[in-house]
Amino acid sequence: MSFVESEERQALRKAAFDFGSKYGWEYFTAKARAGEKTTELWSEAGKLGYLGVAVPEEFGGGGGGIGDLAAVCEELAAAGSPLLMMVVSPAICATIIARFGTDEQKRRWLPGFADGTTKMAFAITEPDAGSNSHKLATSIRREGDEWVLNGRKTYISGVDEADAVLVVARHVDSKGQRLLPSLMIVPTDAAGFEFQPIEMDIVSPEKQFTLFFDEVHLPADALVGAPDAGIGQLFAGLNPERIMAASFSTGVARNALRRATEYVKTRKVWDAPIGAHQGLSHPLAQCAIQVELARLMTQKAAALYDSGDDKGAGEAANMAKYAAAEAATTTVDQAIQSHGGNGLATEYGLGALLGASRLGRIAPVSREMILNYVAQHTLGLPKSY
């Protein structure tokens, strides 16, 4: 048992941070404010193998685990070059296809995930279902040799830059009764599939979309895994999502903490740097502790998932995601406060982190639903919903 990452993981972290720093926050925010994509960053990350570290070697990946991919995600965010689609495309979609896809699906999709030439969005959230995955209304039915998809999804990231969307939908029988959910690969250019952007105040190159499926006909091999796999297969992809979301948050927090620390070391109002005053040094020290604790829980969750313990990983991943979001929100707020009026000046870039840090409390699962989970599954309290 070790609480220290391997030399290989530490080397991967350093390399990823150095790579992300080559682009940095100025590049990222300039692209986001201009309504452009961070295409150069994503493409080079793919060519260098960072996006495919968890894809099996036989398909061109690094053969590592979700812990390796989460490390890359965190370090890029810490360097000021966060990639939200890392949480979705190589983490959720590639993991599910690698674990449950057919041989043909693996050959078709995994090499593109490995080198970054393929992006896939993930669609589970619906307007009327919210966090209740048992209430999903999007449906699939069998019609001859095809599947037919109908329904809506909302707050789906990066659809405009994706080749396909991995959609969670429920089977319906001849009487219209909804059965177990399954996962369907839907090309973004499929007939009957439309998507519309949702206007957001978050400064991000990745956009959010509402999706509409109107009698979308899909081939038989669009189904990933077994038709009756249900929730179990779905959560095999959602645990990596939570681990990656936690790493994204701790990366954002580290970026804000580094900037605040550098600022209070050099900013002088009286005789000494303002960082010498406990009114600033203690809150920043508390942030550092919160971030490190969240990182440790995230590493635990990744280790459990990579060892094959899906149940243990579920509990740890939820806790990690909660802790990381709280740490990021607190740290960004304190970084802004430490800068005074400069904290909201565009020049310092901290105001743009407000939305990114706050998002972690809401998505991919709200802090309230995580507390429900921990209350029920960890503490054994009665189910509240």
Side-chain angles (χ1 to χ4, degrees), residues 347-364:
E347 174 187 354
Y348 291 86
L350 289 169
L353 286 179
L354 275 172
S357 64
R358 191 63 179 76
L359 180 63
R361 282 180 163 176
I362 301 169

Side-chain angles (χ1 to χ4, degrees), residues 205-362:
E206 293 94 356
K207 306 303 180 185
Q208 302 296 312
F209 293 87
T210 298
L211 280 51
F212 304 90
F213 306 101
D214 182 12
E215 291 289 294
V216 178
H217 287 253
L218 301 167
D221 64 358
L223 176 73
V224 178
D228 59 352
I231 295 294
Q233 181 174 296
L234 171 60
F235 275 91
L238 294 185
N239 283 338
E241 178 187 42
R242 284 153 173 69
I243 292 168
M244 293 290 287
S247 295
F248 189 93
S249 287
T250 54
V252 168
R254 285 172 54 201
N255 180 271
L257 185 60
R258 185 180 71 253
R259 293 199 224 176
T261 302
E262 292 171 353
Y263 185 83
V264 300
K265 282 180 180 178
T266 57
R267 170 72 167 164
K268 287 186 178 181
V269 178
W270 289 279
D271 295 332
I274 60 175
H277 304 300
Q278 292 175 348
L280 287 177
S281 66
H282 282 189
L284 290 174
Q286 289 175 317
C287 289
I289 292 170
Q290 277 190 269
V291 172
E292 189 60 22
L293 290 173
R295 294 182 73 209
L296 284 171
M297 181 54 81
T298 304
Q299 290 168 22
K300 175 184 177 180
L304 288 171
Y305 184 85
D306 288 335
S307 72
D309 184 357
D310 285 342
K311 183 177 180 181
E315 179 183 52
N318 274 294
M319 289 183 174
K321 193 267 180 187
Y322 178 95
E326 295 303 303
T329 303
T330 301
T331 302
V332 170
D333 183 73
Q334 185 57 47
I336 290 172
Q337 191 69 25
S338 298
H339 280 70
N342 287 334
L344 294 175
T346 302
E347 174 187 354
Y348 291 86
L350 289 169
L353 286 179
L354 275 172
S357 64
R358 191 63 179 76
L359 180 63
R361 282 180 163 176
I362 301 169

Side-chain angles (χ1 to χ4, degrees), residues 29-236:
T29 52
K31 288 287 186 179
R33 293 186 189 282
E36 300 174 356
K37 307 297 181 184
T38 52
T39 305
E40 303 89 349
L41 171 60
W42 180 275
S43 296
E44 188 173 359
K47 290 177 183 177
L48 294 175
Y50 291 122
L51 303 179
V53 292
V55 173
E57 289 182 293
E58 61 184 296
F59 298 103
I66 195 64
D68 298 308
L69 188 64
V72 172
C73 179
E74 181 186 348
E75 295 305 322
L76 291 179
S81 302
L83 287 174
L84 178 61
M85 285 303 286
M86 276 195 73
V87 179
V88 180
S89 188
I92 305 173
C93 300
T95 297
I96 289 175
I97 291 174
R99 284 189 63 171
F100 302 106
T102 64
D103 290 341
E104 177 56 33
Q105 286 170 341
K106 293 176 183 178
R107 288 192 296 268
R108 165 70 179 85
W109 296 104
L110 293 181
F113 287 128
D115 64 13
T117 56
T118 292
K119 285 184 184 177
M120 187 178 288
F122 179 72
I124 182 172
T125 307
E126 294 185 1
D128 298 324
S131 298
N132 187 355
S133 58
H134 299 282
K135 196 180 177 183
L136 298 179
T138 300
S139 65
I140 47 174
R141 72 176 190 273
R142 197 63 186 259
E143 195 170 280
D145 294 332
E146 294 183 319
W147 297 104
V148 181
L149 178 68
N150 284 282
R152 289 191 300 161
K153 300 289 182 180
T154 193
Y155 290 108
I156 309 304
S157 303
V159 182
D160 59 332
E161 50 190 299
D163 303 282
V165 183
L166 188 59
V167 178
V168 183
R170 301 184 76 92
H171 293 273
V172 293
D173 59 20
S174 58
K175 298 179 181 179
Q177 182 177 354
R178 291 184 177 86
L179 308 174
L180 290 171
S182 281
L183 295 155
M184 310 294 295
I185 299 175
V186 183
T188 49
D189 61 356
F193 174 29
E194 297 181 0
F195 49 92
Q196 297 177 353
I198 302 171
E199 292 298 322
M200 306 287 289
D201 285 334
I202 297 174
V203 180
S204 173
E206 293 94 356
K207 306 303 180 185
Q208 302 296 312
F209 293 87
T210 298
L211 280 51
F212 304 90
F213 306 101
D214 182 12
E215 291 289 294
V216 178
H217 287 253
L218 301 167
D221 64 358
L223 176 73
V224 178
D228 59 352
I231 295 294
Q233 181 174 296
L234 171 60
F235 275 91

